Amino acid sequence: MALTVLSAPAHADPEADKQRVDAQLAETNSLLEGATEKARIAAASYAQATAALPNANAAAATARGVAAARSAAADQARGEADKARAAFVVASGEYTAAAARVDEARELNARFAAGAYEGAGLMQMNVVLTSKSPTDLADKLTYLNQVSQHRARSLENYTAARLASKVLQNRADTARETAEGAERAANAALESARQAEASAVALVAATVRLAEQQKQALAAAEAEKTETLARYAELEAESARIAAALRDIPAQAPEQPVLSGYHGGYFPMPVHGAYKSSDFGSRYDPYYHVWQLHAGVDLAADGGTPIYAVADGRVAQAGWNGGYGNYTCINHGQYNGQGIATCYAHQSSIAVSWGDYVRAGQMIGRIGTTGASTGNHLHFEVRLDGTPVQPLDFLPGCLC
């Protein structure tokens, strides 16, 4: 059986996605109100499955892509952290070596200074006594001073080298800490991505289950085809009988007083606080390849919500009417040379009887789900000379 698959947008937030799926389900339910219970369940199952499939596949693909990207980022961060740790080890080694040289030079200078201090007088005397001339004495004293200055400069150089090594070590330590922080962040992101990927795997599994659900729904719908098509034909015949009955009202009851008639303008809403769950018009059933007229507009509301007459008129029909369930039609007289009537289907209870005169705003029944209905709502029709027309043309645009 070739079927039209309900599509889903590539990017949708959860709330919008839920509203879209709910709207598709409501339309499917309305379309198949005349079908058997099994066919309706199959249709809802198929609509739900096909609506969810695109998002499941898109989410899975997105999750895999995110996981792959974050895995690459984590690998790069780990590489940078490894380089930073290696640089820190080198810098630390250089600082340790420089510090050792400083300690060694400081120790040598300390020993030289102590010896010079302890034997300063003797050394000076020895220099004087061993000098052969004033020039020789000056040279020896100059040499002793140069040795002392050389050792002092060596200590200063070693100290400067140690300070430079410490600066490099500090920089390497900062780079290491930064790289390790990036590594931790990348690993955390990777873990989150892996969890998303696991969810994507679950979505793929759910997609497979949805595909199987589609197959089962199609099989169930096919099994109910004959009976459902018969019910469609029955509903069309019933609508035709209603149209004929409404056209024959003047001939059937000539003694009834003439109604003042409907003179245009919007009807008030027949039910308060409702929302439109399905529109008027001919629609194609993708399951059974037939066109079906949805002869009214569906206004969803809680069961038991009051239903009001939209204009003065006389009750032309009130009672059970097959797939329409508890059904009331009110004749409002003439409009532009045609008889105009409004009809109210699927009521849980009817509050008027055939022949009653009602006023606009009078309660005539309550919301229900009787007949071929899939949930609490009012199926509201406007008929001209018995023929269903677009009810929204006669209701406020805001449906309020």
Side-chain angles (χ1 to χ4, degrees), residues 23-359:
Q24 289 175 334
L25 289 175
E27 182 177 353
T28 301
N29 286 336
S30 177
L31 177 65
L32 295 175
E33 278 185 349
T36 67
E37 181 65 20
K38 288 182 180 180
R40 287 199 297 271
I41 293 173
S45 176
Y46 176 80
Q48 190 171 26
T50 53
L53 275 170
N55 279 357
N57 287 326
T62 299
R64 288 196 190 94
V66 170
R70 289 184 179 172
S71 179
D75 288 342
Q76 182 178 355
R78 278 193 291 271
E80 295 297 328
D82 288 341
K83 290 179 183 178
R85 281 190 285 266
F88 175 72
V89 170
V90 171
S92 295
E94 291 178 352
Y95 171 72
T96 301
R101 288 194 294 270
V102 170
D103 291 340
E104 182 181 356
R106 184 180 289 116
E107 184 179 352
L108 289 173
N109 275 17
R111 286 202 302 269
F112 176 79
Y117 175 76
E118 292 172 357
L122 182 60
M123 184 182 297
Q124 295 289 343
M125 181 59 69
N126 186 53
V127 169
V128 172
L129 292 176
T130 58
S131 296
K132 298 175 181 180
S133 66
T135 301
D136 184 33
L137 174 62
D139 290 340
K140 288 181 177 179
L141 289 174
T142 299
Y143 172 74
L144 290 174
N145 185 52
Q146 287 176 345
V147 169
S148 177
Q149 290 178 357
H150 175 72
R151 296 200 174 201
R153 284 195 299 273
S154 296
L155 179 60
E156 289 175 358
N157 291 337
Y158 287 145
T159 301
R162 184 183 68 170
L163 179 60
S165 297
K166 185 62 176 176
V167 170
L168 292 176
Q169 184 194 42
N170 288 342
R171 290 176 181 173
D173 191 36
T174 299
R176 183 198 59 167
E177 291 179 353
T178 301
E180 288 179 345
E183 181 184 28
R184 287 192 296 272
N187 287 336
L190 177 59
E191 179 59 27
S192 174
R194 283 175 175 164
Q195 291 176 1
E197 188 175 16
S199 298
V201 171
L203 278 173
V204 171
T207 300
V208 173
R209 290 194 297 272
L210 286 170
E212 182 60 30
Q213 185 181 0
Q214 281 182 286
K215 292 180 182 178
Q216 295 173 359
L218 292 176
E222 185 66 27
E224 296 295 305
K225 181 175 182 178
T226 301
E227 186 174 351
T228 294
L229 291 179
R231 291 195 179 195
Y232 283 179
E234 182 182 347
L235 278 176
E236 289 181 359
E238 185 58 39
S239 181
R241 285 194 294 271
I242 293 168
L246 290 173
R247 284 193 295 269
D248 290 345
I249 284 176
Q252 293 173 353
E255 74 282 2
Q256 299 295 338
V258 177
L259 298 172
S260 59
Y262 166 69
H263 301 293
Y266 289 131
F267 288 137
M269 287 295 291
V271 60
H272 300 158
Y275 66 92
K276 184 181 70 172
S277 59
S278 188
D279 208 344
F280 169 90
S282 293
R283 290 174 295 187
Y284 183 70
D285 181 349
Y287 292 90
Y288 303 119
H289 307 290
V290 295
W291 287 92
Q292 179 191 7
L293 174 64
H294 187 239
V297 62
D298 289 346
L299 302 172
D302 293 337
T305 301
I307 300 169
Y308 304 100
V310 296
D312 296 347
R314 176 177 179 271
V315 177
Q317 183 170 346
W320 186 264
N321 196 356
Y324 287 102
N326 288 325
Y327 186 69
T328 301
C329 284
I330 301 174
N331 177 24
H332 303 293
Q334 294 289 309
Y335 173 63
N336 288 342
Q338 294 179 293
I340 183 170
T342 55
C343 301
Y344 312 75
H346 306 310
Q347 299 172 75
S348 60
S349 61
I350 299 175
V352 293
S353 300
W354 180 86
D356 287 351
Y357 286 91
V358 297
R359 293 293 184 184

